[in-house]
Amino acid sequence: MFVIRAPPLPTVQNTELLKKYADELIAQSRDPEDVRSYYEGHRNRLSFDLDYADKFFRPGQKILEVGSIPYLVTVPLMQKNYDVMTLDKVTGEYVPGIVKKYKINSIICNLDNEPILAGDGAFDGIIMNEVFEHLRMNLIFSMREILRVLRPGGLLLLSTPNMRSISGLYNLLVLGEAYACMGGIYNNYSYIERLDVMGHVREYTPKEVTNFLRIIGFEIEGIIYRGGYSGSWKLNLARFFTRIWPQFKPYFSVVARKPLTAPAA
């Protein structure tokens, strides 16, 4: 199993590509201020998402992007000639002009409890960034569906906050709260009432996620430790610390493969 420590910054090429489409996507969204805030806070992570798509997939492959709205990764991927299908709980009404202009094809599915409307082995790859921690009903069902629609030999790229990060350990040991990025039980569940989506059910460690995916039936290819710390002297110290021990970075991605042959019964 490989381990990759993400570089400090994403490639200039994908940073510029994301920026090229971000203003248009933000302007045509139903809530421009909210989407701009999301973009500003996550632009490096989103650019890295494009970098890792380039590393593990090839243009022309059929890719399912789970949790795609507001399409900040989707549209750049399509411009790179990936054959992208999106999967979201809601329709493209959030950014209807973008859906029409770029001819975005979508599967409407509540992955918590609905089967994915696609055949077995329909996709060469699946991108599932910052979704896993939001699933709140039956992760076994949800991830078996992801495995089912991935072709044998196909790759899943799954990113999620790292509970075993410096921020996660600090919050747990000092503040007495078990989260790395988004805390508060009430705060996370209030998203259901306000936006009809779940916040973070909980955040996980790399070992928890990889063990879970193995039981579901995936083969783990590797882990990418991602994100960084900056600002105060404490955060700068954390940044130096994670250069040596990247497993304590705030996010991680799992690269998992569907076996070529089904396991023996």
Side-chain angles (χ1 to χ4, degrees):
M1 184 178 78
F2 65 76
V3 174
I4 296 176
R5 177 177 60 191
L9 294 172
T11 61
V12 173
Q13 176 189 11
N14 281 324
T15 301
E16 291 300 317
L17 184 64
L18 177 67
K19 182 180 178 181
K20 177 181 177 181
Y21 293 101
D23 286 341
E24 179 185 10
L25 292 165
I26 291 166
Q28 295 201 36
S29 67
R30 191 172 61 190
D31 190 345
E33 290 186 8
D34 184 56
V35 178
R36 180 168 294 281
S37 176
Y38 178 77
Y39 166 70
E40 295 290 346
H42 295 270
R43 70 173 76 187
N44 278 356
R45 179 180 66 76
L46 296 168
S47 299
F48 272 123
D49 291 342
L50 295 172
D51 286 346
Y52 292 122
D54 289 341
K55 181 176 179 65
F56 293 104
F57 301 130
R58 299 188 307 276
Q61 286 190 312
K62 194 165 186 178
I63 306 299
L64 178 67
E65 185 192 359
V66 180
S68 62
I69 292 174
Y71 306 125
L72 286 165
V73 171
T74 312
V75 171
L77 284 176
M78 293 176 69
Q79 302 316 298
K80 289 170 169 282
N81 295 316
Y82 294 98
D83 183 3
V84 182
M85 175 77 73
T86 66
L87 186 151
D88 288 285
K89 183 179 176 181
V90 297
T91 67
E93 294 171 359
Y94 197 84
V95 276
I98 295 298
V99 172
K100 184 177 180 179
K101 176 178 179 178
Y102 291 101
K103 298 180 173 62
I104 294 173
N105 295 313
S106 299
I107 297 172
I108 306 305
C109 172
N110 183 348
L111 192 56
D112 269 318
N113 56 14
E114 295 176 355
I116 299 172
L117 298 178
D120 296 356
F123 300 99
D124 298 305
I126 298 178
I127 297 173
M128 191 173 180
N129 291 327
E130 312 305 309
V131 172
F132 189 80
E133 65 276 11
H134 294 270
L135 296 172
R136 65 189 175 98
M137 294 186 68
N138 187 347
L139 270 175
I140 295 173
F141 167 82
S142 300
M143 295 312 296
R144 280 178 177 163
E145 277 295 286
I146 293 294
L147 181 68
R148 179 184 68 79
V149 301
L150 185 61
R151 70 164 172 82
L155 285 178
L156 166 69
L157 301 186
L158 183 157
S159 74
T160 191
N162 182 7
M163 182 60 210
R164 195 174 175 246
S165 61
I166 289 178
S167 55
L169 293 172
Y170 175 86
N171 291 336
L172 178 62
L173 298 175
V174 178
L175 302 182
E177 300 182 30
Y179 75 95
C181 297
M182 190 169 165
I185 295 173
Y186 185 91
N187 176 55
N188 280 290
Y189 277 85
S190 71
Y191 278 75
I192 298 174
E193 294 185 341
R194 293 186 287 115
L195 301 172
D196 196 30
V197 295
M198 179 65 199
H200 292 188
V201 177
R202 57 163 290 201
E203 295 167 357
Y204 304 90
T205 70
K207 184 175 182 180
E208 287 178 308
V209 176
T210 54
N211 284 349
F212 176 81
L213 292 177
R214 284 191 184 99
I215 296 170
I216 292 297
F218 287 95
E219 296 173 347
I220 307 302
E221 297 278 306
I223 295 179
I224 306 166
Y225 292 107
R226 306 175 53 177
Y229 302 96
S230 62
S232 69
W233 69 268
K234 291 181 180 179
L235 291 174
N236 288 330
L237 182 62
R239 180 177 58 186
F240 176 80
F241 182 88
T242 54
R243 288 178 182 173
I244 303 171
W245 293 285
Q247 62 267 35
F248 296 103
K249 283 176 170 282
Y251 297 91
F252 65 94
S253 289
V254 178
V255 183
R257 187 179 299 277
K258 182 174 181 175
L260 289 171
T261 56

